[in-house]
Amino acid sequence: MRIERYLRNVTFWHMMVGILSLSVGVTYGLLQVLARAGVYKYGGFVYDTKAYYQGLTLHGVLNAIVFTTFFIVGFLYIVTEVSLKKKLNRGLVYLSFFTMLIGTLLAAWAILTNNATVLYTFYPPLKAHPLFYIGATLLIVGSWIAILNTVITHLKWRKENPGRLTPPPMVAVHAVYAVWFLATIGVAVEVLFFLIPWSLGLVKSINPELARTLFWWFGHPLVYFWLLPAYLAWYFIMPRVAGGKLYSEPMARLVFIMFILFSVPVGTHHQFSDPGISNTWKAVQAFLTFMVAVPSLLTAFNLAASLEYAGRVRGGNGLFGWIKTLPWGDYRFAGFIAPMIAFIFGGISGIVNASYNVNQVVHNTSWIPGHFHLTVGTASAMTFLTLSYILLEKLFGKKPWSKGIATLHSYLWLAGVLIFSWGMMQVGRAGIPRRTHLGLSPYIGAEEKVFMIVSAVGGTVMFIAFLLFFVNFFITVFKRPEVDSEEVDLEFAEAYHKEDGNLPKVLDNFKFWIALAVILIIVSYAPVFFDVFRATYGVPGAYSPFSPSNLIR
Ligand code: HAS
């Protein structure tokens, strides 16, 4: 498949904006873990709290929002064109990129000038400069343009290929975008109707609980927007790198469809400790959270079977002999297996979080950053870094400058994150809070201090691993191409159990699954909003959309 030069370049710039943002974000990550361990003091000899929170905002927004969104949109363009063998609309590609870029620059200005030190969750009553919210809106609108482009391209493909099943990697693309679109409706309402008017001074006050609820409508499916492109790579690229096949294609399709259904109506599991929402609906969303873990459990079996198949094809035998024969020294395999291993622990800790009663022990403690550095911080982020090497090779014919360093940084990062998260989870279990530098806290015991040093060691190892990636990646960018990249083949894996003509047609009907997801969202969220409105209406100082007295005339 020939990818036009403009799309190669645009994808490259998506990657570059993402990776440059990540490089700033991870630097602030290092400073935080060192500050928490008491090794580094923001502002010299005293803790400068403002600087700590500004750094934390940069860390969260750049790593979790900017890096991921740019990388994912760029990567999915290539997957779309390669799997459908059909061109996207060039004008929309540019429009999306520049809208996202302008939005990012506006938000970055606000954070860098300390006008938006509100962390990546921007909970009110923390208030940011209007340009922060407007920038975030543009970033999302830009990604919606990319969705529109992808949907138009797929519809054209369907017209030209009546009766053909959507290729499985494209099913994954639709799942990513369906989840993202449904999720961003929540945050769009929060930002457009509440935060922007409030930050512009058009309304006097705001309802923090309503804003949090709308944020988490977005915030949890956001994690599957990060995860599903990694799954796309683990399902459709990794088995081929391992020298085998994807074990079951129909199961992969089912998994992506389950994510469309279950990703959104679970956000209240971030609000188990919030007042105002009844226990019944928290419990319902806790149950739905367990449902959304099911496709990941299916994934674990499907991927393990694919790995076993590859290991046996490579000559491994016996119960575990196949593990040894996997290509552990191949930088691409290392870059996929390391995040997969991290995700086993990330997933287990997610189930702990989701268990309503156990959540009371870990909520708002350091346990949570322990969980999400294993998930988004490694399962997603490291997979994206591996994909960026693969894209450089496929789009520009440039293999990594050092394959050894590319392999090393993946295992080093894995070691770093396991140490980091172990430390964070230990102190989290002891009740030590997250999102604070703890510099002057009197209640930290000797054992906790030790584990905070453990986290600092792990965080430093992760940072060194990232530096290795960064240097290797940029030398690769500037070196001469060594292979002809005119024909781009992402080399999607073949399947051992392929989809055949017997597959129920409904499994290729995305409109049906999205409609079902909307119904599930309404059923599970309507009572939650009813509770929130009932509990917060009329509270002095709180803003209710139903109270006209809140409008400044
Ligand atoms: Fe989570 C909080 C529950 C998955 C990210 N999560 C967070 C936050 C983030 C985050 C960023 O219920 C903090 C937000 C904040 O700032 O407050 N999470 C879950 C559950 C899952 C889950 C049930 N989370 C993720 C993923 C993330 C992510 C994925 C990012 C990408 N999470 C929660 C809850 C909270 C939470 C509560 C709120 C806590 C609180 O109180 O604040 C599930 O989706 C996890 C299912 C995963 C599995 C693992 C499957 C394993 C696989 C690997 C297979 C490996 C193989 C390798 C085969 C069941 C697929 C074999 C190796 C060989 C050598 C052969």
Side-chain angles (χ1 to χ4, degrees):
M1 166 78 195
R2 204 176 175 289
I3 304 279
E4 286 177 63
R5 175 72 34 196
Y6 94 89
L7 190 62
R8 294 168 198 236
N9 290 338
V10 175
T11 302
F12 173 76
W13 283 107
H14 277 87
M15 254 175 8
M16 288 303 278
V17 174
I19 290 172
L20 289 174
S21 305
L22 184 69
S23 61
V24 179
V26 295
T27 308
Y28 280 98
L30 178 69
L31 296 183
Q32 273 146 56
V33 76
L34 294 180
R36 283 174 63 91
V39 179
Y40 171 78
K41 289 187 182 9
Y42 277 90
F45 297 106
V46 286
Y47 282 107
D48 179 346
T49 302
K50 240 190 191 169
Y52 178 85
Y53 287 108
Q54 187 185 19
L56 189 50
T57 306
L58 277 167
H59 179 62
V61 173
L62 292 178
N63 292 355
I65 310 286
V66 180
F67 162 58
T68 52
T69 310
F70 272 89
F71 188 89
I72 291 168
V73 169
F75 172 53
L76 296 192
Y77 280 146
I78 301 300
V79 175
T80 303
E81 283 216 351
V82 172
S83 62
L84 294 182
K85 302 198 174 14
K86 189 135 194 69
K87 302 279 173 219
L88 290 150
N89 179 299
R90 183 194 292 225
L92 288 180
V93 168
Y94 281 127
L95 184 65
S96 158
F97 178 71
F98 285 110
T99 310
M100 283 167 53
L101 190 63
I102 292 169
T104 302
L105 292 175
L106 293 180
W109 171 83
I111 304 174
L112 288 169
T113 54
N114 219 344
N115 278 305
T117 298
V118 290
L119 311 186
Y120 90 101
T121 42
F122 45 84
Y123 293 147
L126 290 175
K127 191 195 265 182
H129 191 281
L131 285 182
F132 173 79
Y133 302 119
I134 293 169
T137 307
L138 288 179
L139 180 66
I140 289 175
V141 170
S143 69
W144 283 355
I145 297 170
I147 298 182
L148 180 72
N149 201 353
T150 309
V151 171
I152 292 173
T153 312
H154 186 226
L155 288 177
K156 283 188 191 156
W157 178 90
R158 272 214 200 271
K159 249 195 197 146
E160 291 161 13
N161 297 275
R164 266 187 70 190
L165 283 176
T166 306
M170 199 57 207
V171 176
V173 172
H174 279 307
V176 176
Y177 279 150
V179 167
W180 177 244
F181 186 72
L182 292 173
T184 45
I185 292 172
V187 77
V189 172
E190 181 194 5
V191 170
L192 293 178
F193 295 111
F194 301 105
L195 296 178
I196 292 182
W198 177 59
S199 69
L200 286 171
L202 299 176
V203 292
K204 276 191 289 190
S205 58
I206 195 147
N207 180 337
E209 184 61 357
L210 177 59
R212 280 168 70 85
T213 309
L214 286 166
F215 180 84
W216 286 116
W217 163 315
F218 158 76
H220 196 79
L222 169 67
V223 315
Y224 299 114
F225 172 68
W226 299 328
L227 181 70
L228 296 189
Y231 273 11
L232 193 165
W234 298 353
Y235 272 115
F236 303 115
I237 301 178
M238 185 282 292
R240 182 142 176 184
V241 167
K245 293 182 177 178
L246 165 63
Y247 182 69
S248 168
E249 214 168 50
M251 195 197 259
R253 179 181 288 263
L254 183 70
V255 159
F256 286 107
I257 286 174
M258 287 180 80
F259 275 111
I260 297 180
L261 262 188
F262 295 117
S263 290
V264 185
V266 296
T268 306
H269 71 221
H270 291 262
Q271 297 179 276
F272 284 150
S273 301
D274 281 22
I277 303 170
S278 78
N279 290 342
T280 311
W281 289 98
K282 286 179 180 169
V284 168
Q285 293 215 12
F287 171 76
L288 288 168
T289 307
F290 288 114
M291 288 305 295
V292 81
V294 172
S296 285
L297 289 166
L298 295 177
T299 299
F301 283 106
N302 206 352
L303 295 179
S306 310
L307 287 169
E308 180 175 349
Y309 178 83
R312 294 200 186 281
V313 167
R314 302 172 73 91
N317 43 38
L319 197 53
F320 296 114
W322 55 271
I323 297 179
K324 269 199 307 216
T325 52
L326 290 169
W328 296 93
D330 179 324
Y331 70 96
R332 295 162 307 165
F333 184 75
F336 288 137
I337 194 76
M340 285 165 65
I341 292 172
F343 193 53
I344 297 175
F345 301 101
I348 294 171
S349 52
I351 309 274
V352 170
N353 300 344
S355 311
Y356 191 174
N357 48 351
V358 186
N359 181 275
Q360 304 301 305
V361 178
V362 295
H363 181 64
N364 267 346
T365 72
S366 305
W367 169 280
I368 304 297
H371 161 69
F372 68 67
H373 282 81
L374 290 162
T375 53
V376 61
T378 302
S380 303
M382 203 205 286
T383 303
F384 297 168
L385 298 189
T386 307
L387 285 171
S388 58
Y389 281 131
I390 292 179
L391 287 175
L392 271 191
E393 183 184 334
K394 298 292 176 196
L395 300 179
F396 301 99
K398 298 178 181 188
K399 293 194 169 163
W401 172 66
S402 163
K403 290 182 184 160
I405 292 182
T407 312
L408 176 71
H409 89 70
S410 300
Y411 293 128
L412 202 60
W413 183 311
L414 176 64
V417 75
L418 291 178
I419 298 169
F420 170 83
S421 291
W422 176 49
M424 294 296 272
M425 287 177 164
Q426 286 294 336
V427 294
R429 280 174 49 228
I432 305 292
R434 65 184 279 202
R435 290 186 154 176
T436 164
H437 52 57
L438 298 166
L440 305 174
S441 316
Y443 55 83
I444 305 216
E447 197 188 333
E448 286 81 46
K449 281 218 167 91
V450 170
F451 278 108
M452 283 195 311
I453 299 281
V454 168
S455 299
V457 170
T460 308
V461 172
M462 286 173 79
F463 185 72
I464 294 169
F466 179 77
L467 281 185
L468 289 177
F469 162 81
F470 193 77
V471 171
N472 201 14
F473 180 79
F474 276 93
I475 297 180
T476 310
V477 165
F478 288 110
K479 76 176 204 177
R480 283 179 180 285
E482 59 217 313
V483 283
D484 179 14
S485 60
E486 280 306 294
E487 288 297 309
V488 175
D489 173 11
L490 260 189
E491 295 169 349
F492 295 126
E494 263 188 65
Y496 182 75
H497 288 294
K498 284 190 204 301
E499 290 182 338
D500 55 27
N502 295 333
L503 197 80
K505 286 278 170 290
V506 69
L507 290 180
D508 204 36
N509 183 347
F510 301 104
K511 275 190 224 140
F512 173 79
W513 297 107
I514 293 173
L516 217 56
V518 170
I519 294 172
L520 199 55
I521 294 169
I522 294 172
V523 170
S524 63
Y525 256 116
V528 171
F529 281 108
F530 178 76
D531 281 353
V532 169
F533 286 138
R534 201 178 45 176
T536 52
Y537 177 70
V539 175
Y543 172 73
S544 161
F546 300 127
S547 168
S549 65
N550 279 315
L551 296 172
I552 295 175
R553 287 162 209 283

